[in-house]
Amino acid sequence: DKGLEKSKTNFFDKLSKAVAGKSKVDDDVLDNLEEILVSSDVGVNTTLKIITRIEERVEKDKYLGTAELNKILREEIAGLLSETNSGEDTEFKIPENKKPYVIMVVGVNGAGKTTTIGKLAYQFKKQGLNVVLGAADTFRAAAIDQLQVWADRVDVPIVKQEMGSDPASVAFDALESGVSQNADVIIIDTAGRLHNKINLMNELTKVKRVMQKVVGDAPHDVLLVLDGSTGQNAFEQAKQFTAATEVTSLAVTKLDGTAKGGVVIGISDQFKIPVKYIGVGEGINDLQVFNKYEFVDSFFK
Ligand code: GDP
């Protein structure tokens, strides 16, 4: 798995060092493990949860060796991820009974929203699905231009208005246009300003409400895009966006550029929202459906 190479090497190296010369899982080993997890951006709460579970196992089995630590840690992390992620898919899929399937994409500027939308559009288009994009991030001209670049690259229609227009109006147009074009998937980009919580909440609520005039149960997925290389910042953004709207899934980007993929484990655990996609590069093919087994393996192989 090219993309996650960095997380893997780093985590495994550290883990090997933590147990070097030790045959049993003692307090020292657990302290080191705690530090490794925190420094891999798993987050303090989730780290403590994992350490507690391992302590319980050590308690039950006094002879638990460091040789088994890998396996146990793997089980515990996969178990934690299972609490929120069915996470067994490997293919890009949308439910068959929702047409058009509307995905509203939220996240701060720079997190990788536009890129993720482009990559997603490409995956769905490749399956022969009709995809329409809506440029409802009307706050920045660059956001509209960038989405246009992706629409051209993937060769899918885009609905846009000029900069500064009402995001809800663009979303409305995009859904109307999508319905009339018999779209299977409509992906709506939204503004990523975290100006203040109330404004963000009002704006996202309005976009949703207006979309529902066209497709009654839209959006079917509210996808929050988080930059996985920003560690605690990503946690903070998750907090703000989940307070502002009901986020139904996560895309964690830039995991190719970080040795700290642990953010995926921590965020999924803390916010109880499934990670659906991970970004592992800037290219059109560099988006993967999150699979918890592959992910955990990429840490421990
Ligand atoms: P937006 O402001 O949230 O729409 O962010 P963009 O989609 O424009 O992405 C910001 C920058 O991050 C761009 O230079 C992207 O190429 C880059 N980017 C997005 N996703 C990934 C990823 O998974 N890996 C890497 N290395 N770069 C990414």
Side-chain angles (χ1 to χ4, degrees):
D1 214 306
K2 76 162 215 214
L4 295 168
E5 207 62 34
K6 239 186 193 160
S7 306
K8 165 177 142 187
T9 327
N10 203 287
F11 193 78
F12 190 74
D13 284 354
K14 285 186 189 163
L15 193 62
S16 311
K17 282 191 193 117
V19 300
K22 300 260 184 189
S23 59
K24 281 207 295 191
V25 179
D26 57 16
D27 286 348
D28 267 357
V29 169
L30 288 174
D31 282 350
N32 285 338
L33 179 60
E34 185 174 326
E35 208 182 300
I36 295 167
L37 289 169
V38 170
S39 71
S40 303
D41 279 342
V42 170
V44 174
N45 291 338
T46 303
T47 294
L48 292 180
K49 211 183 226 178
I50 295 170
I51 296 290
T52 305
R53 290 182 186 187
I54 292 177
E55 273 169 353
E56 281 163 13
R57 292 176 74 155
V58 174
E59 193 103 328
K60 275 196 210 120
D61 179 0
K62 297 259 186 266
Y63 298 99
L64 194 78
T66 48
E68 283 126 319
L69 191 57
N70 247 353
K71 182 173 153 275
I72 290 167
L73 194 52
R74 230 168 128 143
E75 282 170 14
E76 292 301 345
I77 292 176
L80 260 193
L81 287 170
S82 298
E83 291 169 18
T84 29
N85 291 276
S86 69
E88 288 161 36
D89 292 339
T90 48
E91 274 156 45
F92 291 85
K93 262 191 245 163
I94 51 163
E96 274 164 24
N97 58 344
K98 304 271 181 212
K99 184 175 170 155
Y101 186 71
V102 179
I103 305 171
M104 177 167 123
V105 182
V106 302
V108 297
N109 297 333
K113 257 184 313 148
T114 316
T115 309
T116 302
I117 292 171
K119 291 168 174 174
L120 256 186
Y122 172 69
Q123 291 296 337
F124 290 131
K125 163 115 190 198
K126 229 172 35 174
Q127 296 174 21
L129 299 172
N130 279 334
V131 184
V132 171
L133 304 183
D137 180 354
T138 60
F139 190 65
R140 294 177 308 155
I144 304 172
D145 296 345
Q146 271 304 105
L147 198 64
Q148 178 72 62
V149 168
W150 274 101
D152 293 342
R153 188 179 296 168
V154 180
D155 190 22
V156 293
I158 176 173
V159 174
K160 60 179 186 179
Q161 293 175 11
E162 67 229 39
M163 186 190 140
S165 53
D166 180 5
S169 150
V170 179
F172 181 88
D173 282 359
L175 263 58
E176 276 212 315
S177 166
V179 168
S180 73
Q181 295 181 59
N182 206 23
D184 299 291
V185 189
I186 303 173
I187 310 177
I188 305 290
D189 189 14
T190 63
R193 288 161 295 157
L194 266 184
H195 26 43
N196 72 57
K197 202 174 109 187
I198 302 297
N199 281 348
L200 180 69
M201 195 179 326
N202 288 345
E203 187 164 303
L204 296 177
T205 305
K206 184 176 171 198
V207 170
K208 277 185 175 178
R209 192 180 61 234
V210 169
M211 286 200 287
Q212 286 162 1
K213 291 184 184 170
V214 188
V215 176
D217 58 350
H220 304 103
D221 190 10
V222 178
L223 179 68
L224 170 60
V225 178
L226 296 171
D227 179 340
S229 68
T230 62
Q232 287 310 302
N233 240 328
F235 280 79
E236 190 49 40
Q237 286 159 25
K239 206 160 130 191
Q240 307 219 26
F241 276 94
T242 50
T245 193
E246 193 192 336
V247 174
T248 51
S249 60
L250 302 173
V252 183
T253 64
K254 308 187 196 179
L255 289 178
D256 52 307
T258 174
K260 301 183 167 190
V263 73
V264 169
I265 303 165
I267 287 191
S268 161
D269 176 50
Q270 296 297 296
F271 294 93
K272 301 292 173 220
I273 302 168
V275 177
K276 217 173 208 174
Y277 310 110
I278 54 175
V280 294
E282 300 192 78
I284 199 165
N285 258 311
D286 295 330
L287 187 73
Q288 300 175 354
V289 171
F290 178 73
N291 177 291
K292 68 185 171 211
Y293 300 113
E294 279 178 10
F295 180 77
V296 172
D297 281 350
S298 76
F299 262 64
F300 292 104
K301 234 177 232 156

